[in-house]
Amino acid sequence: MGSSKLLRLSLLAAVALGVGGVPVAARADETCNSPYMSGLIKGQEDYLYVWTLGVKGVGDGFDKMVTLDVNPASKKFGQVIAQVSVGKRGEAHHMGFTDDRRFLWAGGLDDSKIYVFDVHTDPAKPKLVKTIGDFAKRSGYVGPHTFYALPGRMLIGALSNDKDRGGVTGMAVYNSKGDFIAKHDMPTTQGGDGYGYDVAISPGKNAMLTSSFTGAVNYMTDLGKLIKDPAAMKQFGNTMVMWNLKSMQPEKVLNVPGAPLEIRWSLKEGDDWAITATALTSKIWLVKKDAAGAWQAKDVATIGDPAKVPLPVDLSITADGKGLWVNTFMDGTTRYFDISNPEAPKETYSKRTGSQVNMVSQSWDGKRVYLSSSLLANWDKKGADDEQFVKLFAWDGKELKETFKVDFTKLKLGRAHHMKFGAAPGRYSADAGQGASQSAMRVAGR
């Protein structure tokens, strides 16, 4: 059986699982994982995995996976308990669990290396078990960004290509052992610009939504230099694409100007919409079907003062689909929007949480919000404003109260970027993703 047919069968199985495969009762787990990921955390998370950019002359200078103890009952609460260096700098950026949650895949935007960590054998001490070095060779893409679990597969959204290192790119599919299966180019016709960034799936709707950013030539350039280059500033994505999940074919290109980044589908049962934010125009966009049943994208809110380019970077939607956290990098602000009416989001809270702030991860119960500071090595601020941290805040519905701060510069760890939750053995539910084959999730040799 050919690889493309295997992929289609896998996706058909994925659609058959639907969102019903994911428990929606109150959990501790994050709200932005793949719906095919099994084993949501029951109760308090124990660990926070932080994919960290190496800084020359700081510690060993290499990218690394850093593990924090985040259980308040632990004597090491708020401390670094493990770190695994990968032995080089490759612009560490995003990561994602395999569907059985045994392994965590993490990528480098510059060297396109993919590192697979075993987070199952000893969740407190992740172990690097495989390095995938053929991403560019097999796919023609560079800059693996989004790692999105499918049953027995890992879908990887890229930012660039290995020809001109511009924004035209696509998605690659690997099996969970780390073998390349297929590639899917972003559309460059019917209004498509070919750019890529995030991937988010709503299985019950047979819908996969992608967004767009910029190529390696831009994201590896110093931000101060970049914004002074009018030609370079035109090389940012202005589209989102709705795909047929079963066929992996693009169905509609949506016009969303200003580099739409993170995508979040509402997790509330019965909801049929997704939301994103545009980095360059500081807008919230709603993607939803119109009265005729066609997907449309609509600008529904403004984030801060667009004239000051606050640069919204990451989003986290609440489990009930009624609230949205938005981090804006340039002004170091964390904002909360009431999206009870997704057609008219309203900012109800804001707090300056650092001189720069990037990623935001909230617990499923909404009581804890984790923030990290780094955007890109060449885009982070300079001097005293180049704060590098992970912070935990408690949220009571009215105020963010800082619980702890881990200073990554002081500890000589590097630049803190993407975060994922982990838990001790026996702390996971077993009722999600039941259709996924556990035997397919093993890294080769494990």
Side-chain angles (χ1 to χ4, degrees), residues 183-237:
K183 58 174 286 187
H184 303 277
D185 293 339
M186 293 294 177
T188 54
T189 59
Q190 304 299 315
D193 53 25
Y195 285 30
Y197 184 78
D198 200 15
V199 179
I201 291 172
S202 181
K205 301 174 184 62
N206 186 33
M208 180 172 71
L209 191 57
T210 59
S211 56
S212 57
F213 181 46
T214 194
V217 172
N218 273 1
Y219 66 67
M220 293 304 296
T221 296
D222 179 84
L223 183 59
K225 180 180 178 181
L226 178 65
I227 61 178
K228 294 177 182 178
D229 184 341
M233 289 302 294
K234 293 179 181 178
Q235 304 304 312
F236 282 83

Side-chain angles (χ1 to χ4, degrees), residues 32-241:
C32 60
N33 287 313
S34 163
Y36 306 119
M37 195 184 77
S38 64
L40 294 182
I41 297 171
K42 297 182 291 184
Q44 169 72 47
E45 61 276 5
D46 296 306
Y47 312 114
L48 186 73
Y49 305 122
V50 187
W51 188 215
T52 306
L53 290 74
V55 178
K56 187 177 181 179
V58 177
D60 66 6
F62 300 136
D63 296 349
K64 56 182 60 67
M65 186 68 70
V66 176
T67 305
L68 306 183
D69 187 320
V70 296
N71 191 325
S74 171
K75 294 180 179 179
K76 295 184 177 181
F77 176 62
Q79 298 180 30
V80 174
I81 57 173
Q83 55 180 290
V84 182
S85 174
V86 300
K88 63 181 304 184
R89 286 191 304 277
E91 192 72 27
H93 204 66
H94 280 202
M95 54 185 172
F97 291 104
T98 50
D99 66 336
D100 63 353
R101 206 180 185 134
R102 292 171 178 261
F103 299 96
L104 187 56
W105 290 38
L109 291 186
D110 188 23
D111 64 5
S112 296
K113 299 287 186 184
I114 298 170
Y115 301 96
V116 182
F117 295 88
D118 176 355
V119 292
H120 171 74
T121 302
D122 184 352
K125 297 179 179 179
K127 181 180 179 182
L128 179 61
V129 294
K130 189 179 184 70
T131 300
I132 299 171
D134 67 353
F135 182 77
K137 179 180 179 181
R138 299 303 300 272
S139 68
Y141 312 137
V142 297
H145 178 269
T146 299
F147 295 85
Y148 203 88
L150 296 172
R153 303 285 188 265
M154 182 65 77
L155 179 62
I156 305 172
L159 296 187
S160 191
N161 66 77
D162 67 351
K163 292 182 179 179
D164 63 8
R165 292 175 66 82
V168 176
T169 189
M171 298 174 289
V173 182
Y174 281 72
N175 65 26
S176 293
K177 292 181 179 180
D179 302 319
F180 177 83
I181 296 176
K183 58 174 286 187
H184 303 277
D185 293 339
M186 293 294 177
T188 54
T189 59
Q190 304 299 315
D193 53 25
Y195 285 30
Y197 184 78
D198 200 15
V199 179
I201 291 172
S202 181
K205 301 174 184 62
N206 186 33
M208 180 172 71
L209 191 57
T210 59
S211 56
S212 57
F213 181 46
T214 194
V217 172
N218 273 1
Y219 66 67
M220 293 304 296
T221 296
D222 179 84
L223 183 59
K225 180 180 178 181
L226 178 65
I227 61 178
K228 294 177 182 178
D229 184 341
M233 289 302 294
K234 293 179 181 178
Q235 304 304 312
F236 282 83
N238 293 296
T239 62
M240 299 180 75
V241 181

Side-chain angles (χ1 to χ4, degrees), residues 313-350:
V313 281
D314 196 23
L315 311 175
S316 182
I317 195 168
T318 57
D320 61 7
K322 295 182 179 180
L324 185 76
W325 290 106
V326 180
N327 272 353
T328 47
F329 179 79
M330 295 303 291
D331 59 9
T333 299
T334 300
R335 293 176 166 84
Y336 184 84
F337 283 81
D338 179 344
I339 56 171
S340 299
N341 176 7
E343 303 275 353
K346 296 180 180 179
E347 182 181 319
T348 58
Y349 177 83
S350 68

Side-chain angles (χ1 to χ4, degrees), residues 355-356 373-374 377 380-388 409 415:
S355 61
Q356 58 186 14
S373 54
S374 181
D380 286 353
K381 295 182 179 181
K382 306 294 193 296
D385 284 337
D386 186 19
E387 288 186 303
Q388 296 300 334
T409 298
R415 301 179 182 276

